[in-house]
Structures are given as C-alpha cells and as structure tokens.
C-alpha cells in the first residue's frame, strides 16, 4: 500500500482569509487502477471511477437532508468547538468560522446556478434581499422572516429568523445564556457578504418573545467603505 | 389524558429526570426519588430473572395498584421511562412513544447535555409540558 | 390461561408455602390423574423446625429446569420483589394503597395481602386478568380453614391439613384454568 504524496491529493489547503492562501491548484488526478491507492488520497472513487468532481453541480439542487442527521452533526461541531475555546465569545467566533467556509462555497454555487440571469449586487438592499430569499431558501427551504434597517446606526441592518433551524434541538444551559448557536448561520451570511464585496461583521442575538421563544436577530454591521460607496451610488 | 408523573432512569439506575404533572402521587423529597429509582432498577432486573418462562428476557412493564398504574419502557440502551397514570387511562403506549421521541430530539441532540447526567434541557421540558398538560 | 406458581409468605417474611406447576416450558396438559401432571408440591417449613423436615416433601428438580434457580431461591427473589414493590407503592400513594399486580413480557404476578400481613402471590401467564379476587378466595376458603397449620406455631398438625389444603388448592386452580 503506497503512502500518499502531494501528487495524489487534489486538495489545496483552504483558509477563510484569502490573503494567506497557500499552495497551488492542481488538476484532476489521473485515474487509479488499483483499489489500494484509494486509501492514500482522501478522494473517493466509485466503481465507475468517477469522483465527486465529476458530478453535475445541479444534482444536489433539490436534494434534502434529514434534520436529525444535521442536528447530530451540528451538535458534535458545537461540542468540538467548546473543547478548544474558553469563553462564550470564542465559541461564537469558532462557529462563525465554520459557517464562513460554508458560505464562501455556497455563494459561488448559487451564483453559478443562477446562470445568465445572475446580477451582481452592488447595493446594500440588493445583497440583503439576495441573502433573505435565495441563500436562505437554498439552505433552509424557506426565506428569512424579516429584514430591517436600524434607526440608530447607518451601518446596521437586521435579519430576523423566527426559528433558526440549527437551534431547534439545542437548549443552552443557564450559565451560557448569551450563547446563540446561530453564530454558525451568521458566519454563512458574513461569508456571502464578504464574497460580494460588502465587508462587515454579522452576529446572532436571541430575542425571545411569548409566541416565538427561539426568535433570533442577525445583526449585520457593514464597514465604513460600504456605507461610503452606498452614499456615492446615490 | 391524565399523566400523573414521569421518571427517567439512566443505564445504571440513577434518576436523571423527575416531574409531576398532575396531583395523585405523594410529593417526596428528591432523595426519596433517588432511592426509589435505585430500588426500581434492582426490582426490574430481578423480575426478568424470576420469570417462569425460560429465555423470556423481559423485565417489568406494567405495575398496577389501586390508585395508579405505572408503565415502564426500557429502551435498547438501558434507559427506563416510568410513566405514572390513572388506573383506567388507555393509550399509555402512545404517550410513552411520544415521550421517547421528545427525549431523542431535545435531549440527545442537545450538544450541552452530558449522557447519563440529570436532564436540564429547557426545550425538552417545554415540549413535554405542552404535550402532556396543554392548557 | 396458565398458572405457573403460587407462594404464601407470612408476616415474618418467610415463605411458608410454594407450589409450582411445570407448564413453564411445555403446554399444559389437563389430565385428571396426578401422576401424569408433573406437579412438584413443595411445602417448606421455617428453618427453626428443620428437624421435622423429614415429614415434608422437598422435591426439587434442578435437571428439568436446566441450571435455573432452586425453589427456595426463587421464593426468596419473589418475596424481595413483592416486598420492594409494595413499599414503593405505599411510599408513592399513601399507606392505604396496595399494589395489585405487575406484568412483564412473559408472565404476570398477582399479589394479595391480608390484614394480618400474610402475602399471597400467584404467577400466571400474561393474559390473565386481575386475580386479586381469586387470591382472596384462596385465603378465605382454603387457608383460613386448612392452612393455619403452616405457621410455625403449629408444627405438629401438619399431616392431614396439608393434604386437604393442597387438594382444595389444586381443584380451585384447575377450575380457574379452564
């Protein structure tokens, strides 16, 4: 059994911050004839020698995932992050980071799927609408429940979700009541914004009400540059 | 549907959840409930041992008394759900299944819950109360 | 509708009577003669009168049970279960409540306690309904008449009374089973 070397692995070390990306993109590796070599690379080949990169991108467009599977995976993600941090703010940052890498890929996929009718969003309202409908619908199969602009600050907007799916089975203990695991979704939103050149910070805050005990607000705070550009555009 | 109370025991017989929903059983101290749980765990083990039918493998499932009826559901992992209800209450099986479902959802999928420890999941209790005692 | 075994425990927590029917692993064959029905009537006296045990039959068939518990151990376990459950029920719902029966996947245990703290226990199959009345009848008709001689206060008068009791019990149980 041969040990894998860099030729076999098609992966580029990916980091959320594009400025520190290392490595070079590689082409699809040549087809292997022996099964033993499949253990040396992380890529799985089916019996017809096709890998995941040979699938059509629209294949998973209408597929569904069991909520229970996701809940267990997400729970493990939270536990994993919890072991490596000390403090609630750090835990939220870690979850944000997990969501960030997903958001980057999701943005590319969604824009590719829009095809020729895709429009590059240049206005704040446009990109927020895109997130509220398209992005949310592709992940959760329903649009977000509300979009508001903050009255106090020019650069703050709020996206409202009455019942974030990722939080549906999670009960945060009282001593960590500030934690909202929807920081994961906040990371996704932040990545989509960054990818469309609207840099900012997104945080998740729980605002429980009588009827909606799980209501969450995603606070989106744009950078100075975005607000300036927005005012220039008129 | 009148359920008097619910107890959940972990694999080792320790009490991990106890809640009264309706009047009917006496109120005991938390220590009493712990002792009760441990006793029941032992009794359950013995009842499968004294079975006159060979290779039965089942423990106590239903306990009847004058004032209440208790159903014990043991999962494949050894967790026991004890439901106390009124003596002529039908369909306790349905209730047990639903409680197990709520447990699998709101306790098992909660990353902040440690297995075999006392259950302190707010979502679990909220949904339980909404199901058993809707106002 | 099978009856597996029957126990009586006195208020000193001793088992004073055990009767087991071996239909556990086979189907019950209702026959009239006593030879073919594989009964093993075992009457136990308290340990203090072990010297008189020669009068009593003490048949245990470990081979037919294949490595299971002996009758005495069985009786002790049954008593333990019954005692613990009775205390649990008392604790949960007050001193005047009493546990009636419990059911497992394979058998059902019926329990009746008299005012003198005498405990009657019957193990049957799962489909039997509440046999508390039956146990009460056994107490009233059979035990009160013939069974007092089981207690340790009357070691001497066992011979005749035991047989009468057993005959009565046997016929009574058979009428239930049919």
């Amino acid at each position: 059994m041969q040990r894998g070397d860099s030729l076999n692995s098609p992966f580029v070390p990916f980091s959320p911050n594009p400025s520190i990306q290392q490595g070079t993109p590689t082409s699809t590796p040549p087809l292997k004839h022996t099964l033993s070599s499949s253990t040396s690379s992380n890529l799985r080949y089916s019996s017809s020698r096709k890998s995941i990169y040979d699938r059509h991108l629209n294949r998973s467009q209408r597929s569904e995932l069991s909520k229970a599977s996701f809940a267990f995976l997400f729970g493990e993600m939270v536990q994993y992050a919890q072991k490596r941090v000390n403090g609630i703010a750090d835990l939220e940052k870690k979850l944000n980071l997990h969501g960030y890498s997903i958001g980057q890929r999701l943005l590319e996929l969604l824009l590719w799927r829009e095809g020729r009718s895709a429009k590059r969003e240049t206005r704040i309202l446009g990109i927020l609408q895109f997130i509220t409908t398209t992005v949310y619908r592709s992940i959760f199969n329903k649009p977000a429940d509300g979009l508001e602009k903050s009255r106090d600050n020019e650069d703050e907007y709020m996206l409202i979700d009455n019942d974030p799916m990722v939080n549906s089975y999670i009960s945060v203990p009282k001593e960590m009541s500030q934690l909202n695991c929807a920081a994961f979704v906040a990371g996704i939103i932040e990545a989509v914004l960054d990818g469309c050149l609207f840099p900012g910070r997104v945080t998740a805050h729980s605002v429980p009400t009588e009827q909606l005990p799980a209501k969450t607000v995603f606070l989106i705070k744009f950078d100075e540059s975005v607000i300036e550009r927005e005012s220039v555009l008129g | 549907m009148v359920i008097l109370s619910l107890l959940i025991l972990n694999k080792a017989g320790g009490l991990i959840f106890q809640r009264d929903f309706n009047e009917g059983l006496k109120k005991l101290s938390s220590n009493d409930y712990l002792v009760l749980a441990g006793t029941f765990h032992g009794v359950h083990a013995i009842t499968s041992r004294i079975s006159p039918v060979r290779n039965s493998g089942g423990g106590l499932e239903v306990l009847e008394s004058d004032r209440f009826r208790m159903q014990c559901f043991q999962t494949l992992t050894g967790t026991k759900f004890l439901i106390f209800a009124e003596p002529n209450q039908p369909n306790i099986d349905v209730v047990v299944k639903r409680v197990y479902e709520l447990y699998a959802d709101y306790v098992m999928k909660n990353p902040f819950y440690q297995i075999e420890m006392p259950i302190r999941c707010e979502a679990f209790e909220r949904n339980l109360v909404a199901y058993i005692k809707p106002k | 509708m099978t009856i597996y075994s029957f126990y009586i425990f006195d208020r000193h927590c001793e088992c004073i009577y055990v009767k087991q029917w071996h239909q556990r692993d086979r189907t019950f064959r209702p026959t009239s003669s006593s030879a073919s029905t594989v009964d093993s009537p075992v009457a136990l006296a308290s340990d203090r009168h072990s010297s008189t045990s020669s009068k009593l039959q003490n048949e245990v068939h470990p081979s037919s049970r294949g490595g299971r518990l002996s009758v005495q151990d069985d009786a002790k376990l049954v008593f333990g279960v019954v005692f613990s459950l009775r205390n649990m029920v008392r604790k949960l719902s007050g001193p005047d409540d009493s546990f009636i029966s419990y059911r497992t996947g394979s058998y059902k245990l019926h329990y009746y306690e008299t005012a003198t703290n005498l405990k009657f226990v019957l193990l049957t199959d799962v489909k039997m309904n509440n046999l508390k009345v039956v146990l009460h009848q056994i107490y009233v008709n059979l035990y009160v008449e013939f069974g007092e001689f089981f207690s340790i206060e009357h070691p001497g008068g066992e011979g005749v009374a035991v047989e009468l009791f057993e005959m009565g019990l046997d016929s009574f149980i058979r009428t239930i089973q049919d």
Side-chain angles (χ1 to χ4, degrees):
Chain A
M1 224 178 283
Q2 54 207 94
R3 291 273 301 148
D5 54 356
S6 57
L7 263 176
N8 288 344
S9 155
F11 284 122
V12 173
F14 207 116
S15 67
N17 192 336
S19 64
I20 59 169
Q21 185 166 336
Q22 294 146 11
T24 54
T26 61
S27 56
T28 322
L31 296 178
K32 304 280 187 277
H33 291 289
T34 55
L35 278 174
S36 61
S37 57
S38 60
T39 58
S40 55
S41 86
N42 290 333
L43 200 59
R44 292 203 306 200
Y45 289 95
S46 71
S47 51
S48 57
R49 303 287 178 237
K50 286 203 181 268
S51 69
I52 195 173
Y53 296 112
D54 296 312
R55 298 194 334 192
H56 196 272
L57 283 177
N58 281 340
R59 179 171 141 167
S60 62
Q61 191 169 8
R62 262 167 285 280
S63 60
E64 289 178 346
L65 175 67
S66 128
K67 192 168 174 183
S69 305
F70 175 73
F72 282 120
L73 186 63
F74 187 64
E76 282 308 307
M77 201 191 294
V78 173
Q79 281 183 33
Y80 179 86
Q82 205 176 6
K83 284 199 197 96
R84 281 161 176 70
V85 299
N86 33 5
I88 294 181
D90 274 345
L91 180 55
E92 287 205 349
K93 202 154 44 136
K94 262 255 160 32
L95 288 175
N96 192 309
L97 230 53
H98 285 311
Y100 197 96
S101 37
I102 291 183
Q104 286 178 308
R105 295 157 175 78
L106 191 64
L107 175 66
E108 298 296 334
L109 182 64
L110 290 179
L111 288 177
W112 182 89
R113 279 190 185 153
E114 278 192 8
R116 294 199 168 257
S117 62
K119 198 167 84 81
R120 187 170 71 94
E121 303 289 348
T122 47
R123 309 303 303 267
I124 288 184
L125 205 57
I127 186 63
L128 289 178
Q129 290 279 28
F130 174 71
I131 294 178
T132 315
T133 51
T134 315
V135 174
Y136 238 76
R137 222 181 248 133
S138 78
I139 312 178
F140 302 120
N141 215 23
K142 65 167 181 97
D145 294 306
L147 184 58
E148 289 172 8
K149 183 171 152 55
S150 156
R151 257 163 262 172
D152 308 320
N153 298 353
E154 267 301 315
D155 53 354
E156 280 182 3
Y157 289 77
M158 293 177 299
L159 190 104
I160 301 170
D161 191 345
N162 287 338
D163 188 12
M165 194 213 75
V166 302
N167 281 350
S168 31
Y169 299 125
I170 299 184
S171 324
V172 183
K174 284 194 188 51
E175 56 265 16
M176 304 173 84
S177 57
Q178 295 164 332
L179 172 71
N180 189 334
C181 296
F184 179 74
V185 180
I188 298 181
I189 298 176
E190 192 171 329
V192 171
L193 289 173
D194 277 355
C196 291
L197 295 180
F198 288 84
R201 310 200 101 355
V202 184
T203 47
H205 304 273
S206 26
V207 287
T209 71
E210 259 302 312
Q211 280 92 1
L212 306 163
K215 188 165 168 183
T216 302
V217 162
F218 295 102
L219 189 65
I220 306 171
K221 194 174 171 66
F222 289 106
D223 279 356
E224 275 295 320
S225 53
V226 177
I227 306 298
E228 278 179 29
R229 189 178 67 207
E230 186 77 8
S231 61
V232 164
L233 285 173
Chain B
M1 170 180 68
V2 179
I3 303 292
L4 302 178
S5 87
L6 166 71
L7 265 80
I8 306 183
L9 314 188
N10 66 10
K11 255 195 277 251
L15 184 68
I16 58 177
F17 186 76
Q18 185 276 326
R19 183 150 175 158
D20 290 322
F21 297 101
N22 282 307
E23 301 295 316
L25 297 179
K26 272 172 40 177
K27 300 238 182 308
L28 307 173
S29 73
S30 56
N31 207 33
D32 282 339
Y33 282 119
L34 282 169
V35 168
L36 205 73
T39 315
F40 181 78
H41 181 79
V43 165
H44 185 98
I46 299 181
T47 53
S48 53
R49 191 86 172 86
I50 60 176
S51 163
V53 169
R54 212 183 282 187
N55 298 331
S56 63
L60 193 154
E61 285 172 20
V62 179
L63 173 73
E64 279 178 32
S65 93
D66 277 336
R67 302 231 186 99
F68 68 84
R69 184 188 147 111
M70 181 198 83
Q71 205 130 329
C72 167
F73 173 64
Q74 181 174 35
T75 69
L76 290 168
T77 53
T79 310
K80 295 193 220 342
F81 292 82
L82 308 182
I83 302 248
F84 291 84
E86 293 196 330
N88 40 11
Q89 169 76 34
N91 291 341
I92 302 191
D93 289 338
V94 175
V95 175
V96 170
K97 288 275 173 286
R98 179 78 184 124
V99 169
Y100 188 33
E101 212 182 290
L102 290 175
Y103 171 81
D105 277 346
Y106 296 102
V107 176
M108 287 288 113
K109 292 178 185 147
N110 187 12
F112 299 106
Y113 170 68
Q114 289 169 294
I115 309 274
E116 311 286 298
M117 288 285 120
I119 296 178
R120 299 252 176 282
C121 305
E122 187 256 329
F124 176 61
E125 296 196 30
R126 192 164 22 105
N127 282 278
L128 203 58
V129 170
Y131 173 65
I132 291 187
K133 204 177 173 183
K135 293 256 165 45
Chain C
M1 303 287 270
T2 358
I3 298 205
Y4 295 125
S5 46
F6 174 68
Y7 301 81
I8 306 183
F9 302 98
D10 70 359
R11 66 178 186 276
H12 302 288
C13 307
E14 310 261 357
C15 177
I16 55 175
Y17 185 72
V18 175
K19 180 142 182 184
Q20 290 175 342
W21 285 263
H22 274 246
Q23 299 87 347
R24 306 155 157 216
D25 309 313
R26 299 174 288 228
T27 55
F28 175 53
R29 291 165 292 156
T31 59
S32 50
S33 69
S34 55
S36 49
T37 59
V38 193
D39 283 338
S40 70
V42 180
L44 303 175
S46 71
D47 294 336
R48 289 168 230 195
H49 294 267
S50 49
S51 56
T52 58
S53 61
S54 56
K55 275 202 225 170
L56 311 168
Q57 307 154 16
N58 212 333
E59 299 169 26
V60 173
H61 300 280
S63 56
S64 59
R65 244 157 296 188
R68 292 184 45 167
L69 303 172
S70 71
V71 180
Q72 291 94 326
D73 289 344
D74 237 4
K76 287 196 186 108
L77 282 182
V78 168
F79 179 75
V81 166
V82 152
F83 188 71
S84 306
L85 285 178
R86 167 185 166 275
N87 286 352
M88 201 171 90
V89 168
R90 291 258 164 112
K91 203 157 192 195
L92 276 172
S93 71
D96 19 323
D97 195 6
S98 66
F99 120 75
I100 301 175
S101 71
Y102 78 74
R103 169 177 75 74
T104 78
S106 50
Y107 69 96
K108 198 165 184 181
L109 183 144
H110 308 263
Y111 171 75
Y112 174 64
E113 183 165 355
T114 70
T116 55
N117 283 345
L118 207 60
K119 303 170 183 55
F120 291 80
V121 173
L122 196 61
L123 264 75
T124 73
D125 75 345
V126 184
K127 301 193 190 60
M128 288 280 211
N129 273 330
N130 189 0
L131 291 187
K132 185 173 173 181
V133 176
V134 168
L135 286 171
H136 181 72
Q137 300 257 321
I138 294 180
Y139 171 57
V140 161
N141 296 338
L142 296 172
Y143 183 81
V144 168
E145 307 245 359
F146 309 118
E148 303 142 342
F149 302 101
F150 283 124
S151 69
I152 54 173
E153 277 87 271
H154 301 85
E158 288 181 20
V160 173
V162 171
E163 285 172 28
L164 282 174
F165 179 83
E166 292 211 352
M167 273 164 40
L169 182 68
D170 231 10
S171 53
F172 195 67
I173 295 287
R174 268 168 227 290
T175 56
I176 298 169
Q177 281 185 313
D178 300 329

